[in-house]
Amino acid sequence: MIDDFNAGVGRTKLGTEWGVQGVGGLKVKLQAESEDAVKHGGSLAIEYELAPNEQANIVTPLGGLDSSQAQVVALLIRKGELESFGGKIAIGLSDTTGKSANVELSSSMKRFWQGPSGAWVEVAVPKASFGTLDFNQLEHFEISLANPSGHPIQGRLVLDEVGFFGPEEI
């Protein structure tokens, strides 16, 4: 598990920090959200305002994390906000050798998830989608929000339960 946000926004389960990277007049704010997708705790709310052709990356270091036994990289996104998002979302990983890969989220990777007080979408990206990355030593994780349109977009996305999943031994 990278983060379940039950302790708020700040330190991840790996002891690293979340941050925002981007260019231009980027306006992205990370906040704690009181609703949890699973049982109790919290989630991450991302308030965004992206100009045309602008991209924001929500990132955290992984510090050489060995997730070689994982089968998927997964997260939950609150359904209503995901459906109203006017841009593109991708998950990016890099390893300690400098290789990186980004995978745009598609409808084939999503399934409905009923949380204790609302509808969520589970997004699961198979490890193979990241090509030749060395999952024995992952360096960075990012969620990219991109606005490929010719007009500004703004809104809010709520995420929860970000991590690597597979056999119980992970």
Side-chain angles (χ1 to χ4, degrees):
M1 176 71 64
I2 295 172
D3 209 344
D4 61 10
F5 306 102
N6 290 346
V9 178
R11 287 206 137 347
T12 68
K13 294 289 185 187
L14 304 173
T16 60
E17 298 280 336
W18 288 100
V20 176
Q21 297 174 342
V23 294
L26 187 68
K27 294 181 184 171
V28 176
K29 192 174 182 184
L30 305 180
Q31 298 178 318
E33 171 73 17
S34 61
E35 182 182 355
D36 188 68
V38 180
K39 24 185 163 173
H40 64 281
S43 301
L44 171 67
I46 304 168
E47 292 185 10
Y48 61 88
E49 197 173 315
L50 299 173
N53 301 309
E54 192 170 53
Q55 177 174 313
N57 301 317
I58 294 80
V59 301
T60 192
L62 298 176
L65 178 71
D66 180 355
S67 60
S68 57
Q69 297 302 306
Q71 295 169 339
V72 298
V73 180
L75 64 133
L76 297 171
I77 305 173
R78 199 157 50 197
K79 186 176 186 273
E81 285 123 342
L82 178 60
E83 290 174 346
S84 66
F85 182 67
K88 295 183 179 192
I89 301 173
I91 292 178
L93 293 171
S94 64
D95 64 26
T96 58
T97 69
K99 288 189 276 183
S100 62
N102 289 303
V103 177
E104 188 176 313
L105 304 186
S106 68
S107 60
S108 65
M109 299 172 178
K110 301 172 188 169
R111 74 179 178 107
F112 178 75
W113 174 277
Q114 183 59 48
S117 59
W120 294 74
V121 174
E122 178 186 49
V123 177
V125 181
K127 185 167 90 172
S129 298
F130 293 96
T132 62
L133 280 183
D134 185 351
F135 275 76
N136 290 307
Q137 50 184 351
L138 292 176
E139 190 63 26
H140 285 94
F141 172 87
E142 72 181 29
I143 299 167
S144 298
L145 308 179
N147 178 8
S149 73
H151 62 286
I153 60 172
Q154 66 180 33
R156 178 182 166 124
L157 286 171
V158 178
L159 310 177
D160 205 358
E161 308 298 319
V162 178
F164 299 94
F165 297 93
E168 287 297 317
E169 296 80 41
I170 292 183

